[in-house]
Amino acid sequence: GEGRIPHWVAYELTAAEVQGAVGRSDDFRVDQRVQNSAPSKWPGSGFDRGHMKPAADSKGSAEEMRSSFLMTNMAPQSPALNRGEWKGVEELVRAWSAEHERVYVVMGPSRASRGTIAGGVRVPTHFWKAILRYGADTSAVAFWFPNADDVPGAVSDYRVTVDSLEAWVEMDLFAPLPDAVESRVESEWGQWDLSRKAPRQKASSSAEPGSSVQ
């Protein structure tokens, strides 16, 4: 993607995959398939290597786990976001996958930047995520998070409609839906249980600069 980070990442997450047995690899590495993959380490940057598709959503196979640590799946996130509300929404997505059998997830960085690190790796001002469940109660929910040094409150404080998100990112996220369904689910909140909150974690000053917890 532009600025050596992905434009967006999308995947289907099933309840079975959430229960996968493959352990986390922590094998951050350059993606040799692309010319402008980000370097595998960002020492001294102050930013985490933030997963777009989480490692914990990649437990279905060893290859899937390894792929989740390719740098084409990473973007610079503040420790406050990556270890706080971003982690919190990742946990919600896994809970929703278990509850609804499968969900469809798409996420990425804002178009706006707050600078660059590590040889031109772009640091977005925000990150976003949208989740769709499809079936008898088709519904969507979206989030827009600041990539800031402090991200207070709860995940629910950053919930937005998919329509709003699409205007900001200039993308049509769920185009395959029938038009009437798409119009409905993208303009309303929908019924999603946001009660699972991840505990706030303070970024440790002893952590390796540029390291990532999730």
Side-chain angles (χ1 to χ4, degrees):
E2 181 186 358
R4 310 183 78 180
I5 62 174
H7 290 298
W8 51 268
V9 172
Y11 63 98
E12 176 190 40
L13 182 64
T14 67
E17 286 171 313
V18 171
Q19 302 301 321
V22 177
R24 183 183 170 100
S25 74
D26 278 322
D27 180 22
F28 292 93
R29 65 198 191 284
V30 169
D31 192 337
Q32 303 293 347
R33 301 170 299 178
V34 300
Q35 290 186 334
N36 64 339
S37 175
S40 60
K41 293 184 179 180
W42 303 333
S45 72
F47 290 93
D48 285 353
R49 295 166 292 187
H51 283 73
M52 295 297 95
K53 182 183 182 185
D57 289 6
S58 307
K59 298 188 296 185
S61 71
E63 182 54 37
E64 192 179 352
M65 178 61 70
R66 279 176 51 81
S67 293
S68 79
F69 282 91
L70 289 169
M71 295 308 293
T72 41
N73 186 45
M74 304 294 163
Q77 290 186 325
S78 71
L81 176 61
N82 185 39
R83 308 174 195 189
E85 309 308 3
W86 191 255
K87 180 180 179 182
V89 81
E90 288 174 341
E91 291 171 352
L92 280 171
V93 168
R94 286 190 284 276
W96 292 334
S97 176
E99 180 182 354
H100 302 292
E101 294 190 6
R102 69 188 65 240
V103 292
Y104 302 90
V105 194
V106 58
M107 75 227 68
S110 64
R111 299 168 66 88
S113 307
R114 55 176 286 192
T116 59
I117 59 168
V121 176
R122 184 171 77 84
V123 181
T125 60
H126 294 76
F127 283 90
W128 54 270
K129 186 169 291 197
I131 303 96
L132 171 75
R133 65 176 189 258
Y134 187 76
D137 63 342
T138 297
S139 185
V141 64
F143 300 91
W144 177 256
F145 296 102
N147 192 24
D149 296 333
D150 185 35
V151 186
V155 168
S156 56
D157 296 328
Y158 300 96
R159 181 173 59 171
V160 297
T161 64
V162 177
D163 275 340
S164 298
L165 180 59
E166 288 180 331
W168 295 331
V169 302
E170 299 179 19
M171 289 174 61
D172 187 358
L173 296 177
F174 299 125
L177 288 174
D179 288 346
V181 175
E182 182 181 11
S183 176
R184 174 181 63 79
V185 303
E186 293 187 355
S187 63
E188 64 184 23
W189 288 117
Q191 297 299 311
W192 297 80
D193 181 3
L194 299 175
S195 62
R196 286 190 55 179
K197 294 187 178 71
R200 291 299 305 274
Q201 294 185 2
K202 288 291 184 184
S204 169
S205 58
S206 62
E208 174 213 344
S211 66
S212 174
V213 206
Q214 176 68 17

